[in-house]
Structures are given as C-alpha cells and as structure tokens.
Amino acid sequence: MKTIRISIIFSFIFLAMSLSAGAQELRKEVFDLLNLEAQGLEKVKSACDQQQWKEAAEALLDYYRHREGIANPDLNLKNIKISKEEQKWADDALEHTFFVHKGYQPSYNYGKDINWQYWPVQDNELRWQLHRHKWFTPMGKAYRLTGDEKYAKEWAYQYMDWIKKNPLVQVNKEEYELASAGEVKGAVENVRFAWRPLEVSNRLQDQTLQFMLFINSPSFTPEFLTEFLLNYHRHALHILNNYSAQGNHLLFEAQRMVCAGAFFPEFKEANGWRESGISILNREIKKQVYADGGQYELDPHYHLASINIFCKALRMADVNGFRQEFPQEYVNTILKMIEFYANICFPDYGNPCFSDAKLGERKEEIRNYKEWLKIFPDSKWIRYYASEGRKGAPLPYLSHGALTSGFFTFRNGWTNESTVMVVKAGPKGEWHCQPDNGTFEFWFNGRNLFPDSGSYVYAGDKEVMKLRNWFRRTASHNTLTMNEKNLETTQSVTKMWKEEGNEQILVTENPHYQGLTHRRSVFFVDQTYVVIVDEAVGEAKGTVNLNFHLCEGKVNLDKKNNILTTAYEGESNVKLQCFAEKKAEMKEKEGWRSTAYRKRVARTAVSFDVEKNDAAPVRYITVIYPSKESGSFPTFKAKFLNKGFDLKGVKIEISLNGKKRQLGYEL
Ligand code: MG
C-alpha cells in the first residue's frame, strides 16, 4: 500500500515536471522586436494596438502559415526526403536517445527528464554537438511525411525543455576561463557548450527548416510561436555580439546570420543581421583564402566546408534577390577554391586526410560538384567532375602547384588508372593544421598507397588529447623527424616547382628544429614513379627518422635491404626502397590510419633511422614505384653524385633493373 502511494506521488511529480518543462507562455515582448508596419502584419499590429495579445499571436501564426516570397534553398517542402538514418534519429529522439555525433554510436540516452549536461565521454565535441539538435530536422521531415503529431508534439516539448534548462546566463571572462579549465560546473560551465557561437549558429540555420516543417502542426501554437521567435532573436543577437575571431567558425556564423536575416525579415534588426553576415564574408574571403585558392587552415576538409559556406550564402542571396550584395570578386574566389580542391583530390573523389580532414564520401563529393555547377553552369571542368566524367572536360592540365598554400600535386591523368601524389609543404596553418611539413599522399590505380594518419579526435580531457596527439604528431606523417619530436617550425619554403615533362620536380625546405633543416626534393619520373631525396642539415645531434606510413594490408619488410613491398589484393601495389648515405636501420613503428572521427585501422609504418653524431648532413634517396602486380617490381640502386650538402642543388644516379639514369637540378 505504502509503495503504491509513493509511486503515485512520484508519478505526480514527474507529470508536474514534464508539464512545466513543456509549458509555453505567450511572450508579448516579441511584438516589440517585429516591424509591425510591414506588409501582411496589419492584423497583428491592430491587435497589438488594442493589447489583445492572444489575437495578435494568432494573427502572427496565421501570417507565417501563409507567408510567401521568402525562400529557403535548403528545403523543398514539395519534395521531402528522409533517409533511413534520419528516420532512426527521429524515432530514437522520441525516447530521448539523441543522435549527437557519428563518432559516438550507438547514441546515448539523455534520460526521461532530459539531462542536457550529460557528458558520458569527456570529448568536447560530444558535449558541444548535443546542442546542435541534429535530430530536430529529421523529426520535422518524419512529421511531414507521416502526419503523425507525436513528432511535432515531442519536438515542441524538447524545444521548450532546452530553453528552460540552458539559460543564457551572463558569464564574465574570469568565470569563462575557469569553466574552460573545468573548474566551474553547473549553469556557467554549461553556457560554454550550449551557447558557443558555432553551435548557436547551427541552431539559427536549422531552426529555419524546423519552422517550415512544423509550422502547420497543432502543436505549433500561437504561444509557442512567441517563444520560438524570442529564442531565435536571442540566438541572432548572441552571435552578433560574440562572433568568433577567425577561421571557419567565423565563416559559419556569418553565413548563418545571412540566413537568419533573409528568412525572418519581420524582425526589426533583420537587415542588420544580413548585412553583418555579408560584410564578414566579403572581408574574410579575402583574408582566409590565398591567391592560389587555398583556405588558410590548410585542411582539405575545412577548405571544402569554406567553399560550401560561401556558396550557401550566395544561394540564399539568389533565391531571395540580393545577389548584388556580393561582388564578382567573391564569386571568382569561390571558383578558384573549387579548382584548388579538384587539384588535390584523387580520381575516386577521395581527398587527402591532411590536418584534421576526414575522408569525404564519394556520393557527397559528387553532390558538391552538382551544387557548384548550379552557380557555375559554364564551367566545363565542374561539369566533368559533377557527371563522373560523362560530360564536360577535366581541368586542362595535370600536375599543379598551389605555391602559397604549399599543396603540390604530381598527376599523370584524371582517370582511375592514374598516379597522383600530393605533397603538403606550406606556411604555418591555423588550429586544424598539423605539424606535417613535407608529408604526402600517393594514390595509384584506385588505392591510396600512403594515406595520411588523419586526426581521429579533436579535443577533450587528457585521454582524448593523448589520442589526438598521436595522430597529429609529425612522426605519424610521411616526413623526416629527429628523435620523433614534433617540428618546432612549420614554415616551408618552395625552392623549385617544375610541373611539366618527364622529370617533374618539387624542392621544398623547412627549418624543422633549432639546428636541423630538412630539404626534400621530389622527382616525378616519366610520370610513373617517384624518387625522393631527403637531406637533414645542421649542427643538431640525435636520431634522424625518415618516416613512411603505408596503406592497411599485407606489407613485406626486407630490413637488410631497406625494402618494403606491398602484397595487397587488387591491382595497386608499391615497392619502396630507401638508400641512405650512412647506415640506416629500418624500424617498425606503431601505425594507424583514421578516415573518420573515432574510426581507425592498424597499418604498417616504418622509419629509416640514422644516428647523427656530428654536423655532417644525413642524406637519403627513396624510390617509390607503384605497380599493378605485387610480384613484378624492378630492382633499384641509387647513390649521390654530389658530395655533401650543396645549397645550389642535388645530383643523384638511380638505376632500375640495371638501367642507369641521372636526376638533379640547380637552384
Ligand atoms: Mg595528418
């Protein structure tokens, strides 16, 4: 009896809690934020004049339900599609199992009484991205397609619950820093996650879609509309006053302010939001994009994201009639950025996973080109990549250097049989860039034979940072280190770039450490194979490591002759042989390759180690020879012809199956 009574009392408490969490009030202050003189809002205005707030809210809802003339290029209500994955997110969300991050699957449950501060793994991304509400728009699609009110009812409930439990409390700088260091918990700490401008901007954009999807639902009441608009306005103001200082975050925020201003022109400040976004985009596209088209974070993934940000703002302008606010130069720069990206990608649409980049999905990559083609319908080469080579024509050249960004591509074709090597050797990049100067990826006949280690995770507690740092560190790249230490300076200088003929050459130099400079000379010979000359020069003493990380799969090691040969299935294999001037020892190392967040596979990694006991340079010649078959590689020999390090150039002799050839250059 007692138990029953207690459970009844508890049920009442739960009921009361859920009612109060979902409770919606008519927030009449919203009418002060709107321009009631605007066409279509006459009834709202007259109700407001008579202080009939309920009628005013009803009239406003009626206005929005029938509003015409504002377009959102990201959603066509007449053709809504939901993927299986999105349907699952929508259904899971009904039980408060929220899809937050692809790297953390299956999704966590946030409790019957939603705990927005639940943080099962101390990875910042998991906590931040909860506040992007990635399941809300899928709920909207599910609602539209099924007409089942449960999605709308639950969405409105969660929307209100979030507002109630994530107040935008004012935090001073000191408190913010303490919260960042994990020393303050509760509402102050929560603001750092729930109200980070990037997350806010995410909601600002996605809530326009949710608005369109749910507006006709009975759960979208006049009271809810006032709560929604007030919350939305708070979001826009928060970004306006807290734009990120730089980088892709700032671009995302600016583009989403353009979206907010264009989608809700009824707000008195809407023009200001739009203008603020546009002026930032116009300013930053000049600052963040080098003349060669590369975005300054030097990360293929954020480069791509930046293209899409610039394009998204442009499409919003196009459908709502303010394209003229973007100068032609802005459009030209986007085209340059796309050309840069096409150059560093492989024929299977794979991208190098340099810096924090993840491997894009082929379908997505092709869809990008299709979207870009809408903006640049006259571009033959965008048409070519958008149509998987069926229409248009590829870029009218093969090898290509982006000299300021420091991305160099050796390429012998645009088809699946081609050989493509991309070397990264540029200036110091922003946060997402890794200390990897001189590294490369090498792709042949459908396989990336030397993929980058990738990034695996971003940031969080010590355990998360330890994982991140392994993938980020210099020695996890195909470049030279001393004692496996991270580079002290990442500022490569291009000494030579020759992108045509049968001996294409890149010479790049980076002042790796105090007392040790690394000069890497890459020869793309007969547009077939690669010879790399590495020279470590300076007073520093220690173990010089020349690091190579292969693709996952079977690799045979011949330690006596410093040879690696792959025995992969399929028609893409490689032989690598390293010739060092002094005794070099092949050492097997820990090797991982990550193509997506928290996804990794083990792979073979080695370093050729040479003891440097004096000021004499350490020099290596490495031959990398791809072949369709794993059993048919030539035999190599290689030696230096010039004695010691020469500032003016390099001269070597290589032989393939006994056939000698000299390679070199003069600076
Ligand atoms: Mg890397």
Side-chain angles (χ1 to χ4, degrees):
M1 185 68 192
K2 199 176 172 192
T3 337
I4 294 171
R5 203 180 307 140
I6 289 174
S7 77
I8 289 173
I9 292 170
F10 267 103
S11 312
F12 269 116
I13 292 172
F14 268 120
L15 188 66
M17 275 170 65
S18 57
L19 279 178
S20 78
Q24 302 157 8
E25 272 177 54
L26 198 155
R27 308 292 296 266
K28 63 179 196 297
E29 58 269 43
V30 80
F31 299 112
D32 289 337
L33 306 175
L34 302 174
N35 173 19
L36 298 179
E37 305 297 330
Q39 204 187 347
L41 293 178
E42 296 82 2
K43 279 187 187 162
V44 183
K45 185 178 184 300
S46 103
C48 284
D49 287 345
Q50 296 165 53
Q51 302 201 5
Q52 292 174 339
W53 307 118
K54 176 116 176 90
E55 286 73 10
E58 277 166 3
L60 188 60
L61 183 58
D62 192 56
Y63 161 81
Y64 275 120
R65 281 182 175 161
H66 298 97
R67 185 178 76 160
E68 277 175 4
I70 303 292
N72 192 334
D74 292 337
L75 182 67
N76 179 359
L77 286 175
K78 292 198 181 94
N79 184 22
I80 295 171
K81 286 183 187 143
I82 189 165
S83 68
K84 261 189 171 170
E85 210 174 30
E86 286 176 311
Q87 183 66 52
K88 183 173 164 39
W89 300 345
D91 290 329
D92 283 353
L94 297 173
E95 307 297 322
H96 300 177
T97 295
F98 297 147
F99 172 75
V100 172
H101 199 293
K102 274 207 165 127
Y104 292 95
Q105 292 300 306
S107 296
Y108 296 102
N109 188 278
Y110 287 75
K112 195 170 179 356
D113 175 20
I114 302 168
N115 179 2
W116 296 99
Q117 296 187 28
Y118 180 50
W119 198 9
V121 178
Q122 312 275 295
D123 178 330
N124 291 344
E125 294 301 326
L126 190 61
R127 184 90 183 257
W128 271 319
Q129 294 194 27
L130 170 67
H131 299 286
R132 293 189 193 172
H133 304 153
K134 292 178 196 171
W135 60 94
F136 274 3
T137 302
M139 283 172 99
K141 289 184 181 178
Y143 169 65
R144 276 281 175 154
L145 291 170
T146 62
D148 194 333
E149 192 60 27
K150 69 180 178 188
Y151 294 108
K153 200 174 157 205
E154 181 62 24
W155 171 73
Y157 167 77
Q158 290 181 16
Y159 191 93
M160 292 309 301
D161 189 65
W162 185 90
I163 293 179
K164 185 184 155 223
K165 294 178 185 161
N166 296 279
L168 178 54
V169 293
Q170 289 305 314
V171 179
N172 64 38
K173 202 168 165 262
E174 196 186 338
E175 284 173 318
Y176 193 87
E177 276 164 15
L178 286 172
S180 301
E183 287 172 30
V184 174
K185 304 280 181 206
V188 170
E189 184 207 38
N190 190 54
V191 163
R192 176 167 93 84
F193 293 101
W195 288 91
R196 183 169 74 142
L198 182 64
E199 270 60 41
V200 179
S201 76
N202 220 100
R203 297 195 295 269
L204 199 66
Q205 173 172 281
D206 290 358
Q207 286 183 14
T208 61
L209 305 177
Q210 292 147 28
F211 187 85
M212 291 166 75
L213 290 163
F214 287 118
I215 184 92
N216 290 324
S217 149
S219 302
F220 205 115
T221 61
E223 291 79 14
F224 180 82
L225 173 66
T226 62
E227 297 267 21
F228 179 96
L229 291 175
L230 212 55
N231 183 51
Y232 196 86
H233 183 266
R234 190 183 307 128
H235 275 56
L237 275 200
H238 185 65
I239 297 177
L240 203 63
N241 296 320
N242 297 278
Y243 274 118
S244 296
Q246 62 200 2
N248 67 80
H249 285 207
L250 177 57
L251 301 183
F252 274 120
E253 290 152 17
Q255 173 254 316
R256 288 156 179 176
M257 285 299 278
V258 176
C259 167
F263 191 81
F264 283 114
E266 298 82 10
F267 283 114
K268 284 177 185 162
E269 293 148 290
N271 277 346
W273 300 347
R274 198 186 77 207
E275 281 161 18
S276 144
I278 291 177
S279 82
I280 290 172
L281 290 174
N282 278 327
R283 183 189 77 209
E284 291 295 313
I285 199 168
K286 289 182 201 147
K287 206 161 114 190
Q288 296 198 23
V289 184
Y290 291 126
D292 58 25
Q295 198 256 357
Y296 72 174
E297 288 175 85
L298 307 179
D299 175 319
H301 181 91
Y302 286 99
H303 177 88
L304 175 63
S306 304
I307 296 174
N308 286 338
I309 290 168
F310 293 133
C311 287
K312 222 169 187 186
L314 210 53
R315 276 203 303 273
M316 197 70 183
D318 280 344
V319 297
N320 290 298
F322 55 92
R323 162 68 86 102
Q324 76 285 355
E325 293 178 33
F326 291 98
Q328 186 57 36
E329 204 188 335
Y330 177 94
V331 184
N332 297 347
T333 305
I334 296 176
L335 188 61
K336 269 226 129 135
M337 293 180 78
I338 300 172
E339 186 175 346
F340 174 97
Y341 189 68
N343 267 300
I344 64 166
C345 286
F346 304 112
D348 62 357
Y349 292 87
N351 57 279
C353 285
F354 296 141
S355 302
D356 278 343
K358 296 160 199 79
L359 189 63
E361 282 174 31
R362 185 185 170 98
K363 235 170 79 184
E364 286 284 315
E365 300 282 325
I366 294 167
R367 200 164 65 193
N368 281 327
Y369 280 106
K370 286 184 177 160
E371 285 297 319
W372 299 335
L373 190 60
K374 289 181 195 162
I375 298 176
F376 302 102
D378 298 333
S379 166
K380 281 188 186 141
W381 55 270
I382 293 182
R383 189 171 297 279
Y384 179 84
Y385 305 118
S387 66
E388 297 179 69
R390 283 188 282 272
K391 293 176 194 161
L395 282 162
Y397 53 81
L398 294 169
S399 294
H400 181 266
L403 269 69
T404 319
S405 307
F407 281 73
F408 302 89
T409 306
F410 294 108
R411 181 189 296 273
N412 69 3
W414 292 97
T415 66
N416 274 325
E417 291 75 44
S418 308
T419 304
V420 184
M421 180 190 199
V422 186
V423 184
K424 179 172 179 281
K428 187 170 166 46
E430 294 298 329
W431 193 79
H432 287 287
C433 189
Q434 298 180 345
D436 57 2
N437 294 50
T439 198
F440 65 87
E441 289 200 352
F442 187 100
W443 191 98
F444 166 72
N445 200 31
R447 180 179 275 133
N448 195 339
L449 292 162
F450 291 86
D452 198 85
S453 292
S455 66
Y456 194 60
V457 287
Y458 281 4
D461 67 3
K462 264 192 197 151
E463 224 166 292
V464 172
M465 288 315 288
K466 198 179 149 204
L467 287 167
R468 173 173 177 78
N469 289 337
W470 188 91
F471 286 85
R472 193 175 186 279
R473 68 183 194 138
T474 310
S476 297
H477 293 87
N478 298 316
T479 189
L480 182 141
T481 53
M482 179 172 258
N483 301 327
E484 293 194 351
K485 279 191 309 187
N486 279 346
L487 301 183
E488 289 164 8
T489 308
T490 52
Q491 192 75 47
S492 294
V493 177
T494 307
K495 298 280 180 178
M496 179 183 265
W497 170 243
K498 181 173 173 279
E499 60 190 10
E500 281 177 347
N502 281 337
E503 283 169 21
Q504 301 183 9
I505 306 172
L506 167 68
V507 183
T508 174
E509 194 175 286
N510 187 59
H512 269 28
Y513 313 99
Q514 179 85 34
L516 197 80
T517 292
H518 175 212
R519 183 169 74 181
R520 172 163 268 189
S521 310
V522 186
F523 299 87
F524 187 37
V525 187
D526 296 339
Q527 301 192 37
T528 305
Y529 64 99
V530 164
V531 177
I532 304 176
V533 177
D534 287 293
E535 297 166 285
V537 190
E539 302 285 328
K541 290 173 193 161
T543 306
V544 176
N545 334 99
L546 185 59
N547 309 288
F548 292 104
H549 300 256
L550 286 96
C551 183
E552 60 274 19
K554 186 166 169 45
V555 180
N556 297 311
L557 309 185
D558 172 355
K559 291 190 177 176
K560 198 172 144 235
N561 296 301
N562 287 340
I563 296 174
L564 298 157
T565 44
T566 65
Y568 301 144
E569 282 181 20
E571 297 194 325
S572 178
N573 277 281
V574 69
K575 174 179 175 178
L576 178 151
Q577 187 165 9
C578 183
F579 302 88
E581 244 182 341
K582 296 178 187 165
K583 186 181 162 345
E585 199 184 336
M586 185 204 286
K587 290 218 171 120
E588 268 192 271
K589 295 283 171 70
E590 184 181 3
W592 295 101
R593 175 197 190 190
S594 173
T595 52
Y597 208 82
R598 282 174 60 89
K599 199 174 135 191
R600 62 178 178 184
V601 289
R603 43 113 165 233
T604 300
V606 301
S607 69
F608 296 100
D609 287 1
V610 172
E611 291 308 318
K612 187 172 181 303
N613 302 317
D614 51 35
V618 170
R619 305 200 293 171
Y620 303 85
I621 302 169
T622 308
V623 184
I624 296 177
Y625 197 98
S627 167
K628 286 191 175 178
E629 290 158 50
S630 64
S632 66
F633 293 110
T635 54
F636 310 142
K637 280 183 184 163
K639 63 179 181 189
F640 282 94
L641 295 179
N642 60 317
K643 286 214 157 48
F645 178 76
D646 183 355
L647 265 177
K648 291 205 213 72
V650 151
K651 203 166 193 188
I652 61 168
E653 184 184 275
I654 57 164
S655 99
L656 264 70
N657 286 338
K659 205 174 162 201
K660 286 180 186 166
R661 176 174 194 159
Q662 288 189 5
L663 296 172
Y665 59 85
E666 272 178 47
L667 295 174

